[in-house]
Amino acid sequence: MLLYIDPGTGSMLFTILIGVFGAAVYFFRGLFMKVKFIFSRGKLDKTMNDKLAYVIFSDHKRYWNIFEPICDEFEKRKTELTYMTASEDDPALSKEYEYIKAVYIGNGNKAFAKLNMLNAGIVLSTTPSLDVFQWKRSKDVQYYVHIPHAASDINIYRMFGIDYYDSILISGEFQKDQVRELEAKRNLPEKEIYTVGIPYMDEMKKRIDTEKKSGKDGEKNKRPLVLLASSWGTSGILNRYGERILDALIDTGYEIVVRPHPQSFTSEKEMIERLMAKYPDGEKLTWNRDNDNFDILNRADIMISDFSGVIFDFTLVYDKPVIYTDTQFDVSPYDAWWSDDELWTYKVLPKLGVKLDSERIEDIKSVIDLVISDNKYQKGRDMARSECWEYMGKGTERTVDYLMKKHDELCAVRREA
């Protein structure tokens, strides 16, 4: 008589077998490492017991501008680094390096599954919410380091965005105050905080200076080029004002370029597709989705934005004026909800440009003309740079110096263990 196993029991047995197999793999792996340690007489070999010394994780190709200068510096120092990306078309994958290994690890849960089993000394990432959602701390990773992707408030990540990193690399003292406030209110141990500056903004500045010296910075626009750069979420310009602000901008007769936050094409797909269908690319308005925003920021005469960190790229690196909208920013989903202080962004914005109130949207042309012609915001830009962009020109070097020093410390701890 054939032995019958019902589906539920079969599923349970299959799960048990998988568990037993996984446990066996870990047991023999551990046994192998112990034998290896004995025969090597306790000395760590070049691979640190198969650990990757340095890993960068990027959840999207748009962050390549953050990591490229850091990868270049590791290459310059002839130090091996593994760059893991969740974008199949990440520019890192096609760049020729000798010491940098770029690997596509899949996207979504597939990427996080690999990261959760990672064996590495240091992981550097700009991705928030470590150990909050799918991305868990691996027991085989010694140290997680966060580097922000904008020169603005570090507490406007979604709730608990940076709580479980070991270290935060910052660009200004106000960011340190924000981190310490969150730690105190949540009874978290203090992280290591180190001021490095802003590597990607340093690189932008170098590119601008190079183009100016070579005479490639181009001629002035025949008519003002207005860049509308929206954040994603319910407080973003396109979500709040949509057709109303686009109609008003088209009526100016100026060249209008709309650059939504890349996340909008995922999280607000329906809204973006509706607006792009209603306002297709043409002579009066175009949509920009370039992975590298250097060209469009360089060409634009003025930016209109909300609370997006790209404001600081534009006004501090390119030294140009901004208009920021009153979107009544809702802090409730963000770490800023815990703060007793006003966001640094909203303290400094009035010194960088003009606030566009809702009732002035239809009069936006006169606001644009006023801001472009007014030179009083130069002093505000100089002040903002001093607060959020420390160690200008040295960000990459300081970042890699920190990572390598930390790696040496971790190696010393492993040797003593």
Side-chain angles (χ1 to χ4, degrees):
M1 184 176 66
L2 293 176
L3 179 63
Y4 170 77
I5 300 177
D6 65 85
T9 303
S11 176
M12 181 181 68
L13 290 174
F14 181 74
T15 301
I16 292 172
L17 287 173
I18 291 296
V20 170
F21 177 76
V25 169
Y26 277 107
F27 171 77
F28 285 109
R29 180 186 173 197
L31 182 61
F32 171 76
M33 297 307 297
K34 289 179 181 178
V35 171
K36 184 178 178 182
F37 182 83
I38 292 170
F39 280 96
S40 65
R41 298 182 181 178
K43 294 180 180 179
L44 293 175
D45 61 16
K46 184 180 179 181
T47 61
M48 288 182 62
N49 288 347
D50 297 327
K51 275 189 179 293
L52 298 171
Y54 304 97
V55 171
I56 287 176
F57 167 58
S58 176
D59 65 70
H60 196 280
K61 65 180 181 180
R62 65 177 175 266
Y63 298 122
W64 177 233
N65 70 319
I66 308 293
F67 296 121
E68 184 177 21
I70 297 171
C71 288
D72 288 348
E73 184 67 17
F74 270 94
E75 179 75 6
K76 178 182 174 183
R77 300 189 189 194
K78 299 181 178 181
T79 302
E80 293 183 354
L81 176 147
T82 302
Y83 178 91
M84 297 182 171
T85 177
S87 289
E88 196 169 6
D89 55 347
D90 194 309
L93 298 169
S94 58
K95 185 164 182 177
E96 293 186 3
Y97 283 120
E98 182 178 354
Y99 295 92
I100 312 303
K101 181 181 180 182
V103 183
Y104 171 60
I105 60 171
N107 56 33
N109 289 332
K110 184 177 180 180
F112 291 125
K114 292 181 179 178
L115 291 168
N116 296 347
M117 300 293 289
L118 187 62
N119 187 7
I122 295 176
V123 175
L124 174 70
S125 183
T126 192
T127 305
S129 302
L130 170 66
D131 224 26
V132 176
F133 297 115
Q134 300 101 315
W135 186 17
K136 304 300 182 182
R137 289 180 62 105
S138 168
K139 65 181 182 63
D140 292 318
V141 170
Q142 289 179 273
Y143 211 75
Y144 287 90
V145 181
H146 179 79
I147 185 168
H149 56 259
S152 56
D153 303 86
I154 204 164
N155 60 357
I156 56 172
Y157 288 123
R158 297 282 167 161
M159 204 76 78
F160 316 114
I162 57 173
D163 282 7
Y164 303 109
Y165 274 93
D166 299 299
S167 177
I168 310 289
L169 304 182
I170 63 170
S171 63
E173 191 68 19
F174 72 95
Q175 295 172 330
K176 180 177 180 179
D177 294 339
Q178 291 174 343
V179 174
R180 293 294 184 236
E181 182 183 24
L182 288 172
E183 290 169 341
K185 291 193 172 183
R186 294 175 181 166
N187 295 315
L188 295 170
E190 287 194 351
K191 303 168 192 62
E192 185 168 77
I193 297 177
Y194 188 72
T195 306
V196 297
I198 315 174
Y200 81 91
M201 282 177 60
D202 290 342
E203 293 305 308
M204 282 183 171
K205 183 67 166 57
K206 287 179 186 177
R207 289 176 71 178
I208 293 171
D209 293 343
T210 299
E211 292 209 354
K212 285 181 178 178
K213 288 179 181 178
S214 64
K216 294 180 180 179
D217 49 332
E219 300 178 359
K220 288 188 175 181
N221 298 311
K222 294 180 180 179
R223 51 179 179 150
L225 193 163
V226 182
L227 175 61
L228 178 68
S230 175
S231 299
W232 70 282
T234 56
S235 297
I237 297 175
L238 291 178
N239 236 316
R240 286 295 178 97
Y241 298 126
E243 288 91 339
R244 185 183 172 196
I245 196 166
L246 293 178
D247 286 338
L249 286 171
I250 290 172
D251 287 344
T252 65
Y254 296 153
E255 183 178 356
I256 310 301
V257 178
V258 185
R259 182 179 170 87
H261 190 287
Q263 187 62 33
S264 293
F265 293 94
T266 301
S267 300
E268 305 169 313
K269 185 177 180 181
E270 183 178 344
M271 181 267 290
I272 292 294
E273 289 181 348
R274 173 174 55 80
L275 291 177
M276 292 184 75
K278 186 172 181 179
Y279 302 90
D281 285 340
E283 183 180 343
K284 296 181 179 179
L285 181 147
T286 58
W287 296 80
N288 180 275
R289 295 188 66 177
D290 294 344
N291 189 57
D292 183 357
N293 64 6
F294 178 85
D295 183 60
I296 187 57
L297 295 183
N298 200 28
R299 288 172 48 217
D301 294 295
I302 189 169
M303 173 184 285
I304 301 174
S305 191
D306 35 54
F307 56 93
S308 173
V310 76
I311 286 177
F312 300 105
D313 296 353
F314 184 75
T315 192
L316 303 185
V317 179
Y318 297 83
D319 207 34
K320 296 176 182 179
V322 296
I323 295 172
Y324 59 98
T325 56
D326 176 16
T327 59
Q328 299 176 349
F329 181 59
D330 177 16
V331 300
S332 60
Y334 303 94
D335 281 325
W337 181 85
W338 293 71
S339 179
D340 297 325
D341 198 9
E342 182 184 17
L343 286 172
W344 178 84
T345 294
Y346 285 113
K347 291 180 183 177
V348 76
L349 279 178
K351 301 171 185 177
L352 303 177
V354 170
K355 180 180 178 180
L356 181 68
D357 295 316
S358 177
E359 58 268 21
R360 296 193 68 185
I361 288 180
E362 279 67 34
D363 188 35
I364 198 168
K365 184 178 185 298
S366 63
V367 179
I368 292 171
D369 293 342
L370 172 66
V371 176
I372 287 179
S373 61
D374 199 329
N375 295 321
K376 70 179 181 180
Y377 299 108
Q378 181 64 58
K379 185 177 180 181
R381 293 198 288 270
D382 292 340
M383 181 277 297
R385 285 190 197 96
S386 68
E387 292 187 4
C388 76
W389 193 358
E390 296 187 36
Y391 301 105
M392 188 181 296
K394 299 179 180 179
T396 300
E397 182 181 349
R398 289 182 62 82
T399 298
V400 177
D401 282 347
Y402 171 81
L403 295 174
M404 296 186 80
K405 181 181 178 181
K406 179 58 61 177
H407 177 261
D408 289 343
E409 293 174 3
L410 296 174
C411 284
V413 170
R414 283 168 59 84
R415 290 189 184 99
E416 294 173 1

